[in-house]
Amino acid sequence: MKKFHLTKKDDSWKLASEDSSRAIKKFDNKTDGVKKSAEYVKEHGGGSLLIHKENGRFQEERTYPKSIDPKKSKG
Protein backbone atom coordinates (compact mmCIF):
# COMPACT_ATOMS: atom_id res chain seq x y z
CA MET A 1 0.00 0.00 0.00
CA LYS A 2 1.29 3.48 -0.88
CA LYS A 3 2.03 5.74 2.08
CA PHE A 4 1.87 9.53 2.11
CA HIS A 5 2.85 11.97 4.85
CA LEU A 6 1.31 15.36 5.62
CA THR A 7 3.87 17.42 7.55
CA LYS A 8 4.53 21.07 8.37
CA LYS A 9 7.56 22.66 6.73
CA ASP A 10 8.27 26.33 7.49
CA ASP A 11 4.92 28.14 7.09
CA SER A 12 3.11 25.55 4.97
CA TRP A 13 1.92 21.97 5.08
CA LYS A 14 3.22 19.53 2.49
CA LEU A 15 2.08 16.18 1.17
CA ALA A 16 4.90 13.82 0.21
CA SER A 17 5.21 10.17 -0.70
CA GLU A 18 6.93 8.03 1.93
CA ASP A 19 9.78 7.25 -0.46
CA SER A 20 10.44 10.92 -1.35
CA SER A 21 11.01 14.13 0.57
CA ARG A 22 9.86 16.20 -2.41
CA ALA A 23 6.43 17.78 -1.91
CA ILE A 24 3.62 16.56 -4.14
CA LYS A 25 1.37 19.41 -2.99
CA LYS A 26 1.61 22.32 -0.54
CA PHE A 27 -1.14 23.89 1.58
CA ASP A 28 -1.53 27.07 3.60
CA ASN A 29 -3.13 25.33 6.59
CA LYS A 30 -3.58 21.89 8.07
CA THR A 31 -7.35 21.72 7.52
CA ASP A 32 -6.99 22.21 3.77
CA GLY A 33 -4.00 19.89 3.79
CA VAL A 34 -5.91 17.00 5.33
CA LYS A 35 -8.93 17.44 3.05
CA LYS A 36 -7.02 17.86 -0.21
CA SER A 37 -4.43 15.21 0.67
CA ALA A 38 -7.24 12.70 1.22
CA GLU A 39 -8.68 13.60 -2.19
CA TYR A 40 -5.24 13.17 -3.79
CA VAL A 41 -4.72 9.74 -2.21
CA LYS A 42 -8.18 8.57 -3.32
CA GLU A 43 -7.65 9.84 -6.89
CA HIS A 44 -4.26 8.12 -7.19
CA GLY A 45 -5.25 4.56 -6.37
CA GLY A 46 -5.65 4.76 -2.62
CA GLY A 47 -3.23 4.31 0.20
CA SER A 48 -2.40 5.44 3.68
CA LEU A 49 -2.24 9.09 4.79
CA LEU A 50 -0.10 9.70 7.86
CA ILE A 51 -0.94 13.04 9.43
CA HIS A 52 1.65 14.73 11.64
CA LYS A 53 1.37 17.48 14.26
CA GLU A 54 3.04 20.87 13.83
CA ASN A 55 6.04 19.64 15.84
CA GLY A 56 6.51 16.72 13.42
CA ARG A 57 5.28 13.97 15.73
CA PHE A 58 2.79 11.43 14.39
CA GLN A 59 -0.89 12.25 15.01
CA GLU A 60 -3.04 9.76 13.07
CA GLU A 61 -3.26 7.48 10.06
CA ARG A 62 -6.15 7.32 7.60
CA THR A 63 -6.61 4.75 4.85
CA TYR A 64 -8.36 5.52 1.56
CA PRO A 65 -10.53 3.87 0.48
CA LYS A 66 -11.48 2.46 3.86
CA SER A 67 -12.07 -0.98 2.33
CA ILE A 68 -8.30 -1.52 1.97
CA ASP A 69 -7.58 -0.76 5.65
CA PRO A 70 -5.68 -3.78 6.99
CA LYS A 71 -6.99 -3.23 10.53
CA LYS A 72 -10.39 -4.65 11.35
CA SER A 73 -11.04 -2.11 14.10
CA LYS A 74 -13.32 0.91 14.26
CA GLY A 75 -11.75 4.29 13.60
Side-chain angles (χ1 to χ4, degrees):
M1 177 182 335
K2 295 180 202 172
K3 291 192 176 191
F4 299 89
H5 291 262
L6 180 65
T7 56
K8 186 164 187 187
K9 175 84 172 171
D10 300 322
D11 289 332
S12 64
W13 289 84
K14 72 172 192 166
L15 174 67
S17 167
E18 185 168 74
D19 57 356
S20 174
S21 61
R22 186 172 172 212
I24 297 169
K25 293 192 173 269
K26 291 185 179 181
F27 312 99
D28 292 331
N29 60 62
K30 187 174 184 178
T31 302
D32 286 343
V34 171
K35 180 181 176 186
K36 293 178 180 174
S37 293
E39 291 170 3
Y40 178 89
V41 173
K42 289 175 194 175
E43 290 170 1
H44 289 84
S48 180
L49 175 61
L50 293 103
I51 302 166
H52 296 261
K53 297 178 183 180
E54 281 193 40
N55 64 9
R57 296 186 72 183
F58 174 74
Q59 181 177 348
E60 71 177 288
E61 180 176 7
R62 298 182 184 179
T63 304
Y64 301 99
K66 192 160 183 75
S67 62
I68 65 169
D69 190 347
K71 292 184 180 180
K72 297 297 178 196
S73 62
K74 293 181 180 179

